[in-house]
Every structure is written in C-alpha cells, then in structure tokens.
Amino acid sequence: MASIQPISTSRVTDAMTRGRLTAQIQSDQLDLFRLQNQLSTGYRIFLPSDDAAAAQRAMALQRTIERKDQSLTNLQGARTALATTDSVLNEVNQGLNELKAAALGAISSTATDEERQAVVGQIDELLNQLVRVGNSTLSTNYLLGGAERSNLAYRVTSEGYVEFLGDESSPQTFIDIGQLFNTGTSGDEVFGGLSEEIRGGSDLHASLTPLTRLDQLNGGLGVTPGGAIEVRFVPTLSSSPTTSSVIDLSQAKTIDDVARMIEAGAPAGSRVVASVEGDHLRLDVASGGVTIKEVGSGRTARELGLLSTGSPQATVHGSNLDPTISSATDVNDLFGSKARGRIVSAGDNNDIILTANWNGAQLNGVTVNYIDDGSAGLETADYNGTTNTLTVHVATGVTTAAGVANAINAIANPPFKAELDYRDQTTPSARGGGVVEAGAGLGVGIAGG
C-alpha cells in the first residue's frame, strides 16, 4: 500500500513567491510600456479607464474648445454677411440719391417732356435694380430674405407689382456659447416689404345676453361641465325654517338656462328671481336672504360669479362673467350691453321681461309704476327720461300682463321691448293671462352697460 508523502512547506512558499514576482514583473512591464507610449506620443491618457476623472475633465474641455472653434467660424461668417449686406445697402442708397437728383431736375419748370420721360425710365430701371439687390445672395442664402433665407426674397408679379416673399425676422448665429447675434437685416426693414397691421380703435367686448353660451364665459375658459351649486335661504321671520337645496346645472347650455334652473330648483319658500343684469347674473328674494356655496370640491358657483358665503343677502350681484367674442356674436352686442330686467307680480302668468332697445347704462335702474287709472284692453304707457320712470295705466284686478306688454311696446320710439316671461307660465297657453296689480317700483331694477 502506497504511503502519502507530506508537501514540503518550503516548496509552497517558493511557488507563492515566484507567482508574486511574476505578477510584479508583468505590472512593471505594463507601466514601462505605458511610459514609453506617453514619451513617444505625448499623450498621458489613451483610454478613459486609465484615469476616469481626468478623462472626464479632458472631454468636457475638448467639447468647449470645439464649440469655441465653431463660434469663431460663425463669427467670421457673420462678418462676411454683414459686410456684404452693408455693400448691398450702399448700392441701394447710391441709386436712390441719383434718382432723387434726377427727379428734382425733372419737376422744374424748364424740364422738357423728353427729360421727364427719361426720369421715368430711370425709375423703372432703379426698380429692377432694387429687386436684384433685394435678391442678393451669400453662398445660397438671400441676404434680405429674413431668418428663412433659402427662398427668393422679392419677385415682380405679372401685374407689375413687387412682392416680398421673405419674413420680418433677422438672421442670427451663435458668436459665442449662449450668445446669439444678428448677422443681417430683413428686407421688410430695408424696403418696407410688409404693410403695417390695421388696428381698430374700439375695445370690443361681447355683452352678456340670455343666449350667451356657458363655454363663452370667463374669457372663453367657460364653466366646468357637470357642475352644481348649493343655495341656502334664510327667511326674514325667525319663526320660518331655513331651507337649502342643491341645484344641478349639468344640463345648462346658456346663461338663461342657468337662471331658469336656479329659479326652478330654489329652496322652499325663497321664490328666487334670477336675471341677467349687465355683465353678470343677479339673484333676488322677496322676504329673506340667500347664500350660495360650492358643492363638494366643485367650482361652478365661482365660475358663474355667484359664490356668496357671507351673511345672507336679499340681492346677490354676481361678478363680471367676461364673455368672449365668437363668430356667432351679434355685432350689436359688441358695444356695451342692453339693460335687461323683469317686472315681477304676485301670482303666475303675469311677469314681464324688459329689454332696452339700445346699448348703454342710460336706462339702468328704471322705476316701473302700474297706475290704476286705465281701462282693460285700452292700457297705455309712457316713459319719463328725466326721472327714468316707466308708467303703465292699468285697471287693477282686470288688466293682464299681455295688456301691459302691448301698452309698453306701443310707446312712440319705445325705450324698452316688453316680452312675457315664459318662466312664470303655468302652461304655454296661459302665459301673460295673469292679472297685474297697481303699485310703484315693481319687480327688479334693470341694468346694462
């Protein structure tokens, strides 16, 4: 049986020593090789891994040098473009001076027709010269074509006119890192290639009308779809209960829809009257006050200008709804708004809508009086512009809203148009059939602007 001989400790040590010496020799040879390459080439780093931090700094510096070199090239090109443009403009100036001298000579009393015709020919020649100058190029770029200089700057049309095809911007280039510089000028500045814009002198604002769409409000931002508001009614008599209701406005399309839905969904006992007044909505209650809040995280009350979270108010004046102008806006609605309001009587089928026949604030706050000195079917009305009072002569308990509307519309050069309010009707056939009562200051004051 063979015996196992123990490994000599000295032999293991010698093998490890030889391994370390071999690795050291190889490392020294590699360092010598790198040193030889550095001495022979002048480069300290051949691969980024040789010195990562130094390589990163070197690459950043190299990029900066390359960008600076490109900026120098750009600067030289800009100098050439500016010099060429300056030469072109001097040629234009010289031609105009020569033409001015010839024209001054032609308008003298001693100039002959032949001399005048010669000046006309000179004008035509200068025009052609200016077109050629306007189409001067540097390399493939038209110097006076603006920022986009690859297209023809000027051309003569078949009708004999000169058309400018460039733009009004100046060409630019980077002359240093982050520094743009104009390298020319636009033909629009040299020859006036583009006419000045025509600006109207009137500040046009669309007025708020019952038919104004909700998407036209707030400068065109509109009202968030699917919204609702909460109206809380606090009656004057403390013995009466406080009521509230959430009014769904998700189906409203116009501001009149909003007013109708608010009236229909108002809290019990409030009898809210909603109307368009000037540039905002107005809510009125007869015997108490209301507050208007958002529902949840909604914004509808704020967007309709009705948010009112303080003490209850008998009249809530909304904020300016700022309707935007659209292709469907009536021209008559651009110069202020017509005063609008409602004459509200107790009962049903007897409310009347008043709309001024012209824009402006002069008919704001009219007082409406029903005087019991008329005859049923023969009602008359008159308007006093000094006191801004509209008086209707009625037969109390007999005269209907339809009779009042007819009397107002029969005024000579009537300041208002009277219409029966469909929101007060019980049925379409009953609209306007309700009787009115004599009284002063009826209903809601109207306002426009």
Side-chain angles (χ1 to χ4, degrees):
M1 181 174 181
S3 61
I4 299 176
Q5 299 294 327
I7 300 175
S8 172
T9 303
S10 60
R11 292 173 60 187
V12 173
T13 304
D14 292 343
M16 294 178 61
T17 301
R18 286 195 299 270
R20 285 197 299 270
L21 290 175
T22 301
Q24 182 64 45
I25 293 172
Q26 292 174 344
S27 176
D28 292 342
Q29 288 176 337
L30 180 59
D31 290 341
L32 288 173
F33 176 73
R34 289 174 178 171
L35 183 59
Q36 289 174 347
N37 284 339
Q38 291 173 349
L39 292 174
S40 61
T41 61
Y43 296 117
R44 188 176 74 85
I45 299 174
F46 295 94
L47 296 173
S49 58
D50 292 343
D51 189 340
Q56 185 178 16
R57 292 193 298 271
M59 287 187 290
L61 179 60
Q62 182 64 34
R63 284 195 298 269
T64 301
I65 293 174
E66 291 173 354
R67 294 176 66 183
K68 290 286 187 179
D69 290 341
Q70 182 60 52
S71 298
L72 181 60
T73 302
N74 293 346
L75 183 58
Q76 292 171 346
R79 287 175 176 172
T80 302
L82 289 173
T84 307
T85 303
D86 184 61
S87 175
V88 167
L89 297 182
N90 285 334
E91 184 178 350
V92 172
N93 185 59
Q94 181 180 355
L96 291 176
N97 287 336
E98 292 176 355
L99 179 60
K100 180 179 179 180
L104 289 176
I107 62 176
S108 66
S109 58
T110 60
T112 64
D113 289 340
E114 289 78 8
E115 291 173 335
R116 293 190 179 94
Q117 288 299 322
V119 173
V120 172
Q122 188 175 350
I123 292 174
D124 292 337
E125 176 58 30
L126 179 61
L127 180 62
N128 293 329
Q129 178 186 353
L130 292 179
V131 172
R132 291 193 298 270
V133 169
N135 288 324
S136 299
T137 60
L138 178 64
S139 183
T140 59
N141 295 326
Y142 289 90
L143 292 174
L144 301 180
E148 299 293 335
R149 298 183 295 171
S150 58
N151 297 321
L152 193 70
Y154 292 91
R155 72 176 179 184
V156 180
T157 66
S158 57
E159 295 84 5
Y161 299 105
V162 177
E163 182 180 7
F164 178 56
L165 303 177
D167 58 67
E168 54 188 330
S169 302
S170 297
Q172 295 180 316
T173 190
F174 283 98
I175 61 171
D176 201 351
I177 298 175
Q179 293 188 17
L180 274 172
F181 183 78
N182 289 345
T183 60
T185 187
S186 169
D188 175 50
E189 296 184 26
V190 178
F191 298 115
L194 300 175
S195 62
E196 294 295 327
E197 67 273 12
I198 299 175
R199 295 181 179 270
S202 299
D203 187 10
L204 302 180
H205 288 284
S207 59
L208 186 68
T209 71
L211 297 180
T212 300
R213 294 180 57 85
L214 298 186
D215 56 13
Q216 294 179 257
L217 303 182
N218 300 313
L221 296 177
V223 176
T224 304
I229 62 174
E230 181 181 352
V231 179
R232 181 172 178 266
F233 172 63
V234 179
T236 302
L237 297 176
S238 59
S239 58
S240 300
T242 296
T243 58
S244 65
S245 64
V246 173
I247 302 174
D248 180 11
L249 300 176
S250 61
Q251 300 303 312
K253 302 299 181 184
T254 66
I255 198 68
D256 188 59
D257 292 341
V258 171
R260 176 173 54 81
M261 291 177 180
I262 290 176
E263 290 183 344
S270 63
R271 190 173 170 78
V272 173
V273 176
S275 58
V276 176
E277 181 180 274
D279 54 15
H280 59 271
L281 278 171
R282 169 175 169 166
L283 305 186
D284 292 270
V285 293
S287 56
V290 293
T291 59
I292 303 171
K293 300 190 298 181
E294 302 287 7
V295 176
S297 59
R299 296 179 52 86
T300 304
R302 183 178 291 103
E303 292 171 349
L304 289 173
L306 295 176
L307 187 64
S308 173
T309 58
S311 59
Q313 301 293 323
T315 298
V316 176
H317 292 276
S319 59
N320 187 350
L321 292 178
D322 188 24
T324 187
I325 297 175
S326 71
S327 58
T329 301
D330 193 319
V331 174
N332 293 324
D333 293 330
L334 294 180
F335 304 97
S337 61
K338 294 179 175 64
R340 295 181 177 88
R342 297 169 65 188
I343 307 175
V344 180
S345 300
D348 298 319
N349 302 307
N350 55 5
D351 291 351
I352 293 174
I353 298 175
L354 281 186
T355 304
N357 285 327
W358 55 80
N359 296 355
Q362 61 268 40
L363 295 176
N364 287 1
V366 65
T367 299
V368 181
N369 294 329
Y370 288 169
I371 304 298
D372 184 16
D373 59 359
S375 300
L378 298 175
E379 294 86 1
T380 60
D382 53 77
Y383 173 71
N384 187 326
T386 303
T387 60
N388 197 19
T389 301
L390 176 64
T391 302
V392 186
H393 304 274
V394 303
T396 185
V398 181
T399 294
T400 64
V404 172
N406 292 335
I408 294 174
N409 293 330
I411 298 174
N413 299 318
F416 304 102
K417 176 183 178 181
E419 299 174 289
L420 301 174
D421 187 0
Y422 70 90
R423 291 174 292 186
D424 181 52
Q425 68 186 21
T426 54
T427 64
S429 61
R431 184 193 311 174
V435 297
V436 300
E437 300 293 333
L442 298 172
V444 178
I446 68 175

